[in-house]
Amino acid sequence: MEIALLGNPNTGKTSLFNYLTGSYEYVGNWSGVTVEKKVGLLKNKIDKLIDLPGIYTLSPLSRDEGIVSHFFLYDNVDKILNILDASQLKRNLHLTIQIIEYGKPVAVGLNMIDVAEQRGIQIDVEKLSSLLGVKVIPVIARSGKGCDQLSGLITNEYDNYSHENLIKYGKVIEEATIKMKRLLQKNSAFSIEWLTIQLLEGNQYVKTYLTDFIEEEVLNHFYHEVEVKIKQIYGVKSVDQFIYQKRQEFIDDLLRNSVIGLEHRKVTLTDKIDQIVTNRILGIPIFLFMMYIMFMLTFDWIGFPLSDLLNGIISGPITAGVKSLLSILNVSDFIHDLIIDGIIAGVGGVLVFIPQMIILFFFISLLEDSGYMARVALVMDRIMEGVGLNGKAFIPMIIGFGCNVPGIMAARTIETPKERLLTILLTPLMSCSARLPVYTLFVGAFFTKNKALIVLSLYVLGIVLALVLAKIFSTTILKGEHSLFVIELPPYRLPQGQTLWRSTWEKGKGFLKKASTFIFAGSVLIWILSYMGTAGLNVEMDQSFLAAISGIIAPLFAPLGFGTWQAASSLLTGFLAKEAIISTMNIVYFVPDEATLQGLLASQYTPLAAYSFIVFILLYIPCLATTATIYKETGSKKWTVFTIVYSLTLAYILSLIVYQGGRLLGLT
């Protein structure tokens, strides 16, 4: 069987998916983490569970919601598992009703029962199940409580209770359903009532589906006829408003008969914390302070000592061991130099920054899973609205701190095409983790007393520039409609150790994959280009092909403070992957055994030039994977090229201002 897992954003769907399938998908405590369907095999190794994006309604507003409607109409689904937040039933049940009306067997997982109890909410599960006409199982997805019982239910044969005509929509809708049945002439396998109601609600996917059987002009006339009658009889503004009111009346009656404590909700610890962290004045300073503490832990207190230890191991015992092995094998000088000066220097030079990467990923995962990141989007909404976006657009940007690729993909959750495109174009300005090794290298060499502050300034610079450009673009080239900001504010939770580890590992795994692919291949290529020249093999590096190629563009960077061919070659390889900048530097700045790359850089750059360089790294062209994702998500070569051109231009201008402005101020 193929079982669809569906629910509102942030109800715990993905946590439940992970438990039921024994697999791991990215879990974050905010809306919009799952942006496309994911398929896992249930523990019986027979049935498939399909994790669909979190939505509020089957009538789609955004691209990710459209995935669900398309799936329901064109893919095979045998059963539906609907997960509800027990503390937010009034809102969640609107989707449940639409799912039940679809006509397939439905089971409901009533999640976060513990949160509901903390808020003084008591639910009569049997009564709720009877009134809905479907099986309801209380669960706590994060801990797995009740999940095995739910798994047993959905993998065995069961029938819904009788839920025919769950909601009485009135005579007009009933007559419309009969007419729709006549128009379709038994051509559809779906519930005629469901198709009729979805069409009247404005579901464009359902309308497109129906045009395969009914002429669009006939459908438009059908809709208009029903709309006129509904407005005349019930005095409402629109058909979808009438349908919503009928569902709300049913939900209110259902909750009165099955739930106690909704009217007198307890003030929780979450409420008390939110009074501070979502405060209009304190919200953003608290966010910046949290980021500063995170960077202090990453770069000063924990990260650097661990990186120094790992660097000592790689440059010491590992390099010595490989040299001894190569000597025993009596390999040629070319292979010896390739492995020692190319692969180990290049890949190893990047791997030494793993401790900082893992620590940063851990703290980002901690903020995500605790529920704090949703609050960041909320406090940013006022600023985002002023530049032509809303707080929801800040979520892809936050995700972009880990990697720009999933950040750009998360823009699918944004309703309006203009805001979605604008978010895609600006997300590459967020300082992804791939840039982190470069920051670490330079702050360790030039800004030892202010490591965290310098790195924080880069993250803040990326955000500020994104906001400024959002205002410029939204008032010039991307004028259009604005969307409303709706976001879940989940309760604060104590993150689970296993979830934190998995989330941290998933983020770090991408870095290790790059080290074994892009960075490895790049290190080999860069070393070969530095080893070969017009004079033959094993030439002086200044006479190599790499120096000749990089030397062509190096003068362009002289006004920015780093007009050397070595810096230019690092920037060229950075297009493949930003981490490759470090591997290139380890090769082109040939580091003697007794020295370190950081020590060598101190003689090649001034502190002002170093800061200009990392500002350029922050802003210049997105990496290859990000560029490909921009093209995939926009479907436009024009916007992909535009992103490359504007980011490169912006990087040059800002670095020029930093370096030349600093010189004027006497900061050389």
Side-chain angles (χ1 to χ4, degrees):
M1 294 184 297
E2 294 199 350
I3 302 164
L5 176 59
L6 195 57
N8 283 186
N10 210 60
T11 53
K13 283 189 315 86
T14 309
S15 294
L16 182 65
F17 176 88
N18 294 338
Y19 184 91
L20 295 179
T21 61
S23 65
Y24 177 75
E25 293 296 345
Y26 185 74
V27 181
N29 198 6
W30 58 45
S31 64
V33 170
T34 307
V35 291
E36 56 188 6
K37 68 178 182 180
K38 299 181 177 70
V39 181
L41 204 60
L42 288 167
K43 292 180 180 178
N44 64 7
K45 303 302 180 186
I46 299 172
D47 303 314
K48 293 178 181 177
L49 187 65
I50 302 167
D51 181 18
L52 293 164
I55 60 171
Y56 294 100
T57 172
L58 290 179
S59 184
L61 294 173
S62 63
R63 184 174 167 186
D64 61 315
E65 290 179 344
I67 290 172
V68 178
S69 285
H70 187 277
F71 176 80
F72 271 29
L73 290 165
Y74 299 104
D75 288 71
N76 179 53
V77 56
D78 299 299
K79 295 179 180 179
I80 301 171
L81 174 55
N82 176 215
I83 186 164
L84 302 178
D85 179 350
S87 65
Q88 302 288 349
L89 281 178
K90 189 169 185 176
R91 182 174 65 247
N92 285 195
L93 284 169
H94 278 276
L95 178 62
T96 303
I97 291 168
Q98 295 179 65
I99 292 171
I100 292 172
E101 289 172 346
Y102 179 63
K104 295 284 186 176
V106 177
V108 171
L110 191 60
N111 193 27
M112 303 187 198
I113 284 288
D114 53 335
V115 176
E117 290 174 351
Q118 290 169 11
R119 296 181 177 181
I121 300 171
Q122 298 176 10
I123 301 171
D124 185 336
V125 176
E126 289 297 324
K127 187 71 172 177
L128 179 65
S129 180
S130 175
L131 292 171
L132 282 174
V134 298
K135 304 283 187 182
V136 179
I137 304 294
V139 299
I140 303 175
R142 285 165 59 81
S143 65
K145 184 178 180 181
C147 294
D148 290 328
Q149 183 183 356
L150 187 62
S151 178
L153 172 64
I154 62 175
T155 53
N156 293 314
E157 290 298 323
Y158 69 89
D159 295 316
N160 290 354
Y161 302 139
S162 176
H163 61 267
E164 186 177 354
N165 299 321
L166 184 68
I167 297 177
K168 303 290 185 181
Y169 288 104
K171 187 177 180 180
V172 177
I173 301 292
E174 289 174 4
E175 290 175 349
T177 303
I178 294 170
K179 185 175 181 179
M180 178 62 71
K181 187 174 184 179
R182 190 167 60 249
L183 289 170
L184 279 171
Q185 299 177 349
K186 298 182 180 180
N187 281 322
S188 174
F190 302 111
S191 161
I192 305 298
E193 182 185 36
W194 180 77
L195 288 171
T196 304
I197 292 170
Q198 287 296 311
L199 174 67
L200 294 174
E201 278 193 280
N203 190 326
Q204 291 301 312
Y205 284 78
V206 168
K207 183 177 181 180
T208 302
Y209 169 80
L210 289 172
T211 53
D212 290 339
F213 313 105
I214 306 168
E215 290 183 7
E216 186 173 0
E217 186 178 336
V218 175
L219 283 177
N220 291 336
H221 178 73
F222 172 87
Y223 177 87
H224 179 70
E225 189 178 62
V226 175
E227 183 182 43
V228 170
K229 289 180 180 179
I230 290 288
K231 287 180 177 180
Q232 287 176 346
I233 296 172
Y234 298 101
V236 294
K237 293 181 179 179
S238 62
V239 184
D240 61 316
Q241 184 190 60
F242 169 75
I243 293 171
Y244 177 86
Q245 287 177 354
K246 284 293 183 181
R247 286 179 181 152
Q248 192 61 61
E249 289 170 6
F250 173 81
I251 291 169
D252 290 340
D253 186 60
L254 180 148
L255 295 177
R256 275 194 299 270
N257 288 285
S258 61
V259 181
I260 301 171
L262 284 176
E263 298 82 5
H264 306 289
R265 180 178 173 273
K266 292 181 180 178
V267 177
T268 64
L269 179 61
T270 290
D271 298 326
K272 294 175 181 176
I273 295 174
D274 277 347
Q275 289 178 357
I276 301 171
V277 301
T278 62
N279 183 277
R280 290 169 64 89
I281 298 173
L282 298 176
I284 294 178
I286 288 173
F287 170 58
L288 294 175
F289 177 73
M290 297 281 282
M291 294 282 286
Y292 177 73
I293 293 296
M294 183 170 69
F295 292 137
M296 285 293 291
L297 290 165
T298 301
F299 294 101
D300 276 334
W301 300 337
I302 303 175
F304 256 101
L306 292 176
S307 283
D308 289 343
L309 179 63
L310 184 58
N311 184 45
I313 294 172
I314 292 175
S315 61
I318 291 179
T319 302
V322 173
K323 283 182 177 178
S324 299
L325 179 62
L326 295 175
S327 178
I328 293 171
L329 295 175
N330 197 28
V331 300
S332 66
D333 291 341
F334 176 82
I335 298 298
H336 179 278
D337 292 344
L338 172 63
I339 294 174
I340 300 300
D341 300 331
I343 296 173
I344 292 181
V347 179
V350 175
L351 293 180
V352 299
F353 298 106
I354 282 180
Q356 278 105 330
M357 304 278 283
I358 295 298
I359 292 168
L360 185 65
F361 291 153
F362 172 80
F363 286 115
I364 290 176
S365 300
L366 185 67
L367 294 178
E368 291 170 1
D369 202 48
S370 68
Y372 177 67
M373 282 300 195
R375 274 77 184 174
V376 175
L378 179 64
V379 299
M380 286 297 295
D381 179 54
R382 187 156 48 99
I383 296 175
M384 300 293 282
E385 187 178 356
V387 299
L389 291 168
N390 70 37
K392 184 179 282 190
F394 198 63
I395 293 174
M397 294 181 183
I398 294 173
I399 296 174
F401 286 160
C403 178
N404 291 162
V405 171
I408 290 168
M409 293 175 68
R412 297 173 183 176
T413 62
I414 298 171
E415 290 85 357
T416 65
K418 186 270 290 187
E419 291 185 356
R420 189 183 311 127
L421 176 59
L422 192 52
T423 305
I424 290 171
L425 298 180
L426 297 177
T427 297
L429 297 178
M430 298 302 103
S431 186
C432 67
S433 60
R435 298 167 170 101
L436 194 63
V438 185
Y439 302 161
T440 304
L441 177 68
F442 278 84
V443 297
F446 297 96
F447 311 105
T448 53
K449 294 181 180 179
N450 299 291
K451 298 188 189 81
L453 196 60
I454 292 295
V455 175
L456 178 61
S457 73
L458 295 168
Y459 278 76
V460 172
L461 178 62
I463 295 171
V464 170
L465 289 173
L467 296 177
V468 172
L469 289 177
K471 183 64 175 178
I472 295 172
F473 292 164
S474 64
T475 54
T476 53
I477 59 175
L478 285 173
K479 292 181 180 179
E481 74 278 26
H482 296 282
S483 61
L484 294 174
F485 177 50
V486 179
I487 190 171
E488 299 286 336
L489 285 185
Y492 290 104
R493 303 172 183 138
L494 187 65
Q496 293 181 313
Q498 184 181 26
T499 302
L500 275 179
W501 160 245
R502 282 177 166 178
S503 181
T504 303
W505 169 242
E506 284 299 307
K507 293 180 177 74
K509 188 166 66 174
F511 175 71
L512 293 175
K513 283 182 179 179
K514 282 186 182 180
S516 61
T517 53
F518 278 120
I519 298 171
F520 178 86
S523 297
V524 171
L525 177 62
I526 290 299
W527 183 83
I528 290 174
L529 288 174
S530 69
Y531 189 81
M532 300 169 59
T534 54
L537 300 178
N538 198 18
V539 299
E540 291 291 330
M541 201 170 294
D542 288 337
Q543 306 301 318
S544 66
F545 287 134
L546 182 62
I549 295 169
S550 304
I552 297 172
I553 63 170
L556 296 174
F557 302 116
L560 312 185
F562 44 89
T564 63
W565 71 262
Q566 290 93 336
S569 65
S570 302
L571 294 173
L572 287 174
T573 57
F575 174 64
L576 295 175
K578 292 298 183 284
E579 301 96 331
I581 294 171
I582 297 296
S583 58
T584 302
M585 284 187 162
N586 272 283
I587 294 169
V588 298
Y589 292 112
F590 186 74
V591 184
D593 292 340
E594 68 277 2
T596 64
L597 179 58
Q598 286 182 338
L600 194 60
L601 287 177
S603 64
Q604 302 290 321
Y605 294 79
T606 65
L608 182 60
Y611 190 71
S612 173
F613 185 77
I614 54 180
V615 166
F616 194 86
I617 296 298
L618 165 69
L619 302 173
Y620 91 118
I621 55 177
C623 69
L624 184 62
T626 301
T627 302
T629 306
I630 293 170
Y631 177 69
K632 178 184 175 184
E633 294 299 305
T634 62
S636 168
K637 292 179 181 177
K638 179 186 75 173
W639 289 118
T640 305
V641 172
F642 175 77
T643 305
I644 293 172
V645 171
Y646 98 73
S647 58
L648 188 58
T649 304
L650 186 67
Y652 196 92
I653 292 171
L654 261 293
S655 291
L656 183 67
I657 292 172
V658 167
Y659 186 68
Q660 297 299 338
R663 289 184 65 192
L664 290 174
L665 295 173
L667 299 178
T668 53

